[in-house]
Structure formats: structure tokens, C-alpha cells
Amino acid sequence: MRAIIKGKWFVLLAWIAVIAVLFMSAPNMEQLVREKRQISVPEGYSSTLAEEILNEVKSSENSGNELQTALVFHRDKKLTEKDFWQAEKAIKQLEKDKSELGITSILTHFNQEELKEQLVSKDGKTILVSLNVTANDREAKDITNALYKALDNVELDHYYTGNWLISEDLVTNSQEGLKKTEGITVVFILIVLLLVFR
């Protein structure tokens, strides 16, 4: 015991070395989170409800690396004629840039009037548009950025949702959480060691 107390700085350095080796040899937790993607959104949330509606409207399933995506236009008050015009303008913009964005199909009541009852909310505050997007070896973040950039000039509040977007957000948040946890753990261990061996 006396030897440990005399060589406390050596013991402290040894612990720091062990922590560093473990830290470097540990599996990449961020990559594991990205690969496993075990997290899912519970039923009853707006994103899962939107997906259910789109599945009812759309008869064919996603194939290959196509990503089913919902484009949602929304206001807290009932949408005006100008809002509907803005939404239609946005969809025309997406149709124009379809190949560049990797969009394979767009399902909207603007092109098929009979879908209005299903794709426009009863309270008139929300418009839903179904998109199929091909990944083409792009990262989810790149696809998302391209889709939002395509509608930069649209003033009506809008956002994209879908399982792949939600999964990407959850993975990103999990990775950030893991980084913080790793940092806190290392700092905590060092503080404990300094307190014990001072």
C-alpha cells in the first residue's frame, strides 16, 4: 500500500494509459448505431400516421433502394388560395428537378384531384405529397439537403418526413449522445483518479 502511495503519479499515468488504450481499441459505437438502427418511432405520432395514409393511397411497395418520403405543407390556420398556389409551385419545381433529385414518382392531389380527400386534411391546414426518392449511393443527409434546397424559395411552411428521415435523425442524435457520454466518462474517471491519488 505504501508503495502505491509513493508511486501515486506512476499509478495515475498507468490508469490514463489504460484508458487511452481502451478508448482507441473500443468498437466504433457511432458506426454500430448507424448500422443497427434499432430505434423506431412509436405508433400514433404524426410521422407514423402520415406513413399509414401514404401506404393506403399508394398501392405499390418501395422497391430496391427507393425511399418513400412525405412532403408536408402546413399552417396553423386554414391554408389560403395563395398557400395552395405556393404548394403547387413547389411540386412543379420538384417535378422539374426530378432526375437531379433522384425522385422517381410524385403523388399529389394537384395532379390527381380524386386524392384531395386523402391528401388534404379535413381542417384545411395540411397538404400531404408522396414522393419516391432513389438513394443512388447517396447518404441520407445529402438527399435531405438536396430536397430542402430545391424548395428554398417556397414561403409556405413545409418539411419532409418518412421512416428513413426519422431513422437518420435518431442515428445522428444517438451519435451525438455517444460522443458526449464518452467525453463525460473519461473526464469523470480522471477526476476520480485525481481525487483518490492526490
Side-chain angles (χ1 to χ4, degrees), residues 163-174:
N163 275 342
W164 67 277
L165 285 156
I166 294 165
S167 295
E168 182 62 22
D169 283 344
L170 289 170
V171 166
T172 302
N173 290 337
S174 298

Side-chain angles (χ1 to χ4, degrees), residues 3-17 197:
I4 292 173
I5 293 170
K6 282 183 180 178
K8 63 183 176 184
W9 294 113
F10 174 76
V11 173
L12 181 61
L13 289 173
W15 271 107
I16 291 171
F197 292 107

Side-chain angles (χ1 to χ4, degrees), residues 33-156:
V33 168
R34 184 168 288 283
E35 286 171 7
K36 298 300 177 187
R37 293 181 186 241
Q38 294 293 325
I39 308 164
S40 60
V41 178
E43 290 182 17
Y45 282 83
S46 56
S47 296
T48 51
L49 292 173
E51 187 186 4
E52 287 170 19
I53 293 168
L54 291 177
N55 285 336
E56 285 175 23
V57 172
K58 204 167 167 52
S59 56
S60 62
E61 292 289 319
N62 292 342
S63 59
N65 63 350
E66 282 192 353
L67 308 166
Q68 187 170 338
T69 310
L71 170 58
V72 182
F73 297 97
H74 179 76
R75 272 176 55 112
D76 292 333
K77 297 177 181 177
K78 190 172 180 177
L79 295 165
T80 63
E81 281 185 40
K82 185 184 175 185
D83 294 328
F84 274 90
W85 177 81
Q86 282 274 325
E88 189 171 11
K89 178 185 161 190
I91 291 160
K92 285 179 181 172
Q93 181 67 36
L94 290 176
E95 284 173 345
K96 192 181 98 178
D97 299 334
K98 256 174 112 167
S99 57
E100 185 185 320
L101 295 168
I103 297 172
T104 55
S105 66
I106 299 175
L107 191 64
T108 172
H109 81 280
F110 291 114
N111 297 339
Q112 293 175 271
E113 187 64 32
E114 64 273 15
L115 296 176
K116 186 170 183 176
E117 199 173 298
Q118 291 169 292
L119 297 180
V120 178
S121 64
K122 288 178 183 176
D123 61 9
K125 296 178 180 179
T126 307
I127 301 170
L128 199 60
V129 178
S130 173
L131 307 173
N132 264 11
V133 182
T134 308
N136 292 334
D137 298 323
R138 294 178 294 170
E139 292 286 326
K141 187 167 73 173
D142 297 330
I143 300 169
T144 306
N145 289 341
L147 288 171
Y148 276 108
K149 192 175 179 183
L151 301 183
D152 263 350
N153 61 339
V154 177
E155 294 170 14
L156 178 61

Side-chain angles (χ1 to χ4, degrees), residues 4-5 7-22 184-198:
I4 292 173
I5 293 170
K8 63 183 176 184
W9 294 113
F10 174 76
V11 173
L12 181 61
L13 289 173
W15 271 107
I16 291 171
V18 168
I19 291 168
V21 169
L22 289 174
I184 290 167
T185 304
V186 169
V187 170
F188 177 74
I189 290 170
L190 289 174
I191 288 170
V192 169
L193 288 172
L194 286 171
L195 289 173
V196 169
F197 292 107
R198 65 183 179 136

